[in-house]
């Protein structure tokens, strides 16, 4: 068996984040292997992307199960059958339960299109526009039993434009998702990530403490 980190990806939709992971593996930026892609939606385009990349796919229709834990138990079985070590939620539109989290303790990641803890839940970009923030972003975090709540691994900030619509803002947040999800998984693949309560500690993290995103940007060079 290869020594690469074995990923099980769960999705419900288009799968552009899956595509970003596939791309990063292809170019060697992510030292991992996607061993299975599981969807609760039979015609999710992410499954087509997975098949095109030669990745095994499984459909588990949540309607077929009497409870969320029963559904999760089926997910766990498929993930284990394929030898997944890290579970990567990539647009998976189901709440996961202790059944999945207990089977993969501190080994379930999610990506959310806002700077958590701001704007959890659905339509994060719509929430950000409605609130009037000038900076929003993207968060990769470990999953716990509360929605969009677990310890935060990587965030990217995205400036909001005055003329943004939900769609234009979504396009720019997604572009950052596609950058930071592979980065976050690679940190785990390198064994550099430890969870300490709510905080995630990354060994030898590159941090530029002088750098800030200011929006609207300062007009004078000396203020930037
Ligand atoms: C992403 O915006 C992610 O933040 C959210 O679901 C969306 C999935 O997009 N959790 P895609 O299917 O990867 O394109």
């Amino acid at each position: 068996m290869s020594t690469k980190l074995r990923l099980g990806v769960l999705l419900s939709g288009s799968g552009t984040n899956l595509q970003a992971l596939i791309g990063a593996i292809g170019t060697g930026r992510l030292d991992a292997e996607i061993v299975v892609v599981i969807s609760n939606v039979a015609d999710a385009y992410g499954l087509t992307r997975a098949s095109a990349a030669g990745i095994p796919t499984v459909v588990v229709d949540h309607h077929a199960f009497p409870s969320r834990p029963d559904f999760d138990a089926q997910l766990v079985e498929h993930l284990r059958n394929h030898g997944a070590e890290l579970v990567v939620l990539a647009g998976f539109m189901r709440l996961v339960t202790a059944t999945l989290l207990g089977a993969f303790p501190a080994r379930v990641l999610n990506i959310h299109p806002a700077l958590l803890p701001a704007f959890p839940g659905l339509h994060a970009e719509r929430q950000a526009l409605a609130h009037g923030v000038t900076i929003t972003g993207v968060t990769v975090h470990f999953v716990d039993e509360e929605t969009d709540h677990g310890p935060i691994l990587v965030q990217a900030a995205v400036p909001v434009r005055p003329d943004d619509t939900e769609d234009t803002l979504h396009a720019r947040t997604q572009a950052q998702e596609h950058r930071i999800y592979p980065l976050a998984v690679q940190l785990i693949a390198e064994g550099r990530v430890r969870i300490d309560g709510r905080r995630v500690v990354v060994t030898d993290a590159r941090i530029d403490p002088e750098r800030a995103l200011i929006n609207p940007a300062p007009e004078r060079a000396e203020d930037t």
Side-chain angles (χ1 to χ4, degrees):
M1 195 186 281
S2 92
T3 56
K4 289 179 189 298
L5 180 65
R6 296 168 66 84
L7 312 178
V9 177
L10 306 190
L11 54 76
S12 305
S14 152
T16 64
N17 280 287
L18 168 69
Q19 196 71 59
L21 294 167
I22 292 170
I25 290 169
T27 58
R29 282 173 295 137
L30 175 54
D31 194 20
E33 180 185 356
I34 302 172
V35 293
V36 66
V37 172
I38 305 176
S39 179
N40 62 314
V41 177
D43 62 355
Y45 188 64
L47 293 171
T48 306
R49 296 180 192 272
S51 299
I55 301 166
T57 63
V58 180
V59 175
V60 184
D61 181 356
H62 57 280
H63 296 107
F65 297 86
S67 71
R68 290 185 198 281
D70 287 313
F71 171 61
D72 279 7
Q74 187 68 48
L75 299 178
V76 168
E77 191 175 324
H78 287 296
L79 289 162
R80 285 198 171 133
N81 285 345
H82 287 86
E85 298 166 310
L86 181 71
V87 181
V88 179
L89 309 186
F92 185 59
M93 302 306 287
R94 306 300 303 165
L95 297 175
V96 299
T97 70
T99 302
L100 179 74
L101 298 174
F104 293 92
R107 288 259 132 182
V108 183
L109 279 187
N110 184 41
I111 190 159
H112 181 74
L115 289 176
L116 292 173
F119 314 130
L122 294 174
H123 309 301
E125 291 96 340
R126 190 185 302 173
Q127 294 184 56
L129 289 173
H131 197 88
V133 294
T134 71
I135 295 173
T136 183
V138 176
T139 302
V140 176
H141 66 96
F142 288 94
V143 175
D144 65 12
E145 284 186 64
E146 288 180 54
T147 303
D148 300 328
H149 174 269
I152 291 170
L153 175 50
V154 183
Q155 294 186 299
V158 174
V160 178
R161 296 171 51 134
D163 58 350
D164 261 329
T165 63
E166 199 176 339
D167 285 348
T168 60
L169 185 55
H170 179 65
R172 294 207 311 292
T173 51
Q174 276 235 304
Q176 298 310 315
E177 290 188 336
H178 301 160
R179 292 176 68 192
I180 71 167
Y181 221 175
L183 286 178
V185 176
Q186 177 63 15
L187 291 175
I188 294 174
E190 291 174 7
R192 293 167 59 190
V193 175
R194 176 170 63 81
I195 301 177
D196 178 14
R198 268 223 56 88
R199 302 187 62 162
V200 176
V201 182
V202 177
T203 308
D204 295 329
R206 274 196 62 202
I207 296 168
D208 186 348
E210 305 308 326
R211 201 151 161 226
L213 175 64
I214 303 173
N215 186 39
E219 313 220 338
R220 293 150 49 113
E222 60 265 39
D223 292 334
T224 59

